[in-house]
């Protein structure tokens, strides 16, 4: 099982933009020496929820300071970009990093971001825009000259350079929440990015993975092939009480922040958003952190607790890669780094041992 880390570049009160960026970059630089397999900055715009506007820019800096770690995106929001430029940028990054790119892609979900780019009327069409965009990216990577006739993108005999180092192209991960999206990822032959942190239940994951395997079968691909990556909020401390004391404030900030951007304000927006992301019926304003920490959405506690819970979640969700969302809500870097040390040094060896025994 592979171990990665998500980076949101969120900006809670009390942090300058300079501090946020310096801290997040430090964590990505240190991930390789701490034994992580990948880092995944997430694209967001126009709010304190996150402002890594260009994951490829931050990953280029990581590529220059590392040798082994994979460079993922969690995710690039394709409807916001010209897909030809996406193909060029990530081919360049793949070449400069000696073939370490994993391209995570999605459609986006925040109305404020679509509105900010003047695309408010396009969010309802995001699925068809995404479909054209990702097909055009792949063709730019694999065809010498590209001609594409779509509703949203048109290209005529275009010579696109550079080409990526990985062949036929870098692995593509598709963000999946709905059953139809899982099946579509299978038909594409992509890997899956799914998230317990965003309220996906174990039953929903089982259904989604079954749809993913069915989609691969429909496309003539090996149903057992492909990878499934699961994003979880993960924080490990020396003691159970200490870990939950450290993580409760940052996580509460997160849920109260996201409630303002996923659902339209005011009134029931926070409640609906929290229901969507937590799978409970509590409002974000009255968030019970202990209930959240004991749910499948989060792994927070001491080493023994986290090993036990992750072992169970791996069986229930059936994932191949774990993406830890540890730095959240301005949590201090020294605490994040300590959690990363415990994760890679004490938790993952035991998880991999259990996985090997099960196999």
């Amino acid at each position: 099982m592979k171990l990665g880390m998500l980076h949101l570049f969120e900006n809670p009160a009390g942090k300058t933009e300079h501090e946020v960026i310096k801290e997040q970059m430090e964590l990505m630089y240190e991930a390789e020496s701490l034994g992580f397999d990948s880092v995944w900055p997430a694209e967001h715009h126009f709010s304190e929820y996150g402002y890594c506007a260009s994951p490829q820019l931050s990953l280029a800096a990581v590529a220059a300071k590392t040798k082994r770690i994979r460079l993922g995106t969690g995710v690039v929001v394709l409807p916001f970009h010209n897909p030809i430029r996406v193909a060029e940028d990530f081919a360049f990054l793949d070449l400069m990093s000696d073939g370490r790119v994993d391209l995570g892609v999605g459609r986006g979900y925040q109305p404020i971001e679509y509105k900010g780019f003047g695309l408010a009327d396009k969010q309802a069409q995001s699925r068809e825009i995404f479909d054209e965009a990702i097909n055009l990216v792949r063709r730019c990577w694999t065809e010498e000259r590209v001609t594409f006739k779509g509703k949203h993108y048109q290209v005529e005999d275009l010579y696109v350079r550079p080409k990526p180092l990985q062949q036929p192209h870098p692995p593509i991960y598709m963000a999946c929440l709905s059953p139809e999206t899982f099946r579509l990822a299978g038909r594409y032959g992509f890997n899956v990015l799914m998230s317990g942190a965003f309220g996906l239940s174990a039953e929903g994951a089982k259904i989604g993975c079954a749809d993913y395997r069915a989609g691969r079968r429909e496309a003539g691909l090996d149903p057992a092939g492909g990878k499934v990556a699961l994003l979880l909020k993960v924080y490990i401390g020396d003691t159970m009480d200490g870990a939950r004391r450290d993580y409760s404030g940052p996580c509460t900030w997160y849920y109260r922040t996201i409630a303002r951007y996923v659902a339209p304000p005011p009134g029931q927006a926070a409640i609906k958003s929290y229901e969507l992301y937590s799978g409970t019926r509590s409002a974000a304003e009255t968030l019970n952190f202990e209930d959240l920490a004991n749910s499948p959405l989060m792994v927070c506690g001491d080493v023994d607790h986290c090993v036990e819970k992750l072992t169970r979640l791996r069986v229930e969700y059936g994932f191949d890669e774990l993406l830890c969302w540890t730095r959240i809500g301005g949590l201090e870097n020294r605490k994040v780094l300590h959690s990363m040390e415990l994760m890679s040094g004490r938790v993952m060896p035991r998880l991999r041992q259990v996985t090997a025994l099960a196999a």
Side-chain angles (χ1 to χ4, degrees), residues 107-145:
R107 295 186 287 128
Y109 56 87
Q110 293 191 22
I112 189 176
E113 296 185 332
Y114 273 86
K115 182 179 179 180
F117 283 113
L119 300 171
D121 59 334
K122 298 292 186 181
Q123 189 164 6
Q125 305 172 55
S126 63
R127 188 180 296 278
E128 63 182 44
I129 295 172
F130 174 91
D131 183 71
E132 286 191 18
I134 194 59
N135 276 294
L136 184 49
V137 168
R138 285 202 297 182
R139 292 182 65 173
C140 288
W141 279 346
T142 57
E143 297 178 9
E144 192 65 19
R145 305 194 75 89

Side-chain angles (χ1 to χ4, degrees), residues 161-189:
R161 308 301 297 188
K163 302 297 185 190
L165 183 62
Q166 295 178 88
Q167 295 298 314
H169 55 71
I172 298 175
Y173 287 72
M174 183 171 169
C176 296
L177 286 175
S178 62
E180 58 268 25
T181 308
F182 278 92
R183 187 176 290 266
L184 187 60
R187 289 174 182 159
Y188 278 133

Side-chain angles (χ1 to χ4, degrees), residues 17-154:
E17 293 178 353
H18 187 224
E19 288 171 331
V20 169
I21 291 173
K22 296 288 283 187
E23 289 176 359
Q24 291 273 211
M25 295 307 299
E26 178 191 3
L27 295 175
M28 289 202 287
Y29 297 149
E30 292 295 325
E32 180 170 277
S33 64
L34 290 174
F36 280 68
D37 299 296
S38 58
V39 289
W40 301 73
E43 177 184 353
H44 280 294
H45 308 270
F46 313 129
S47 78
E48 72 274 31
Y49 178 73
Y51 51 68
C52 181
S54 174
Q56 55 268 49
L57 186 61
S58 63
L59 289 173
V62 177
K65 291 197 173 188
T66 57
K67 299 293 185 184
R68 173 192 58 81
I69 201 162
R70 300 287 300 179
L71 309 171
T73 56
V75 295
V76 172
V77 184
L78 284 183
F80 298 164
H81 302 281
N82 184 307
I84 300 169
R85 186 57 183 265
V86 171
E88 291 176 331
D89 281 356
F90 284 93
F92 194 98
L93 180 62
D94 200 50
L95 291 166
M96 70 178 290
S97 67
D98 298 322
R100 290 189 277 148
V101 166
D102 291 320
L103 180 65
V105 290
R107 295 186 287 128
Y109 56 87
Q110 293 191 22
I112 189 176
E113 296 185 332
Y114 273 86
K115 182 179 179 180
F117 283 113
L119 300 171
D121 59 334
K122 298 292 186 181
Q123 189 164 6
Q125 305 172 55
S126 63
R127 188 180 296 278
E128 63 182 44
I129 295 172
F130 174 91
D131 183 71
E132 286 191 18
I134 194 59
N135 276 294
L136 184 49
V137 168
R138 285 202 297 182
R139 292 182 65 173
C140 288
W141 279 346
T142 57
E143 297 178 9
E144 192 65 19
R145 305 194 75 89
V146 180
T147 296
F148 187 91
K149 305 293 185 182
K151 176 181 176 181
H152 302 280
Y153 305 104
Q154 298 83 37

Side-chain angles (χ1 to χ4, degrees), residues 269-283:
I271 295 175
K272 291 179 180 178
S273 173
Y274 182 60
E275 287 175 1
L276 171 66
Y277 280 84
S278 72
T280 77
R281 304 193 66 81
S282 302

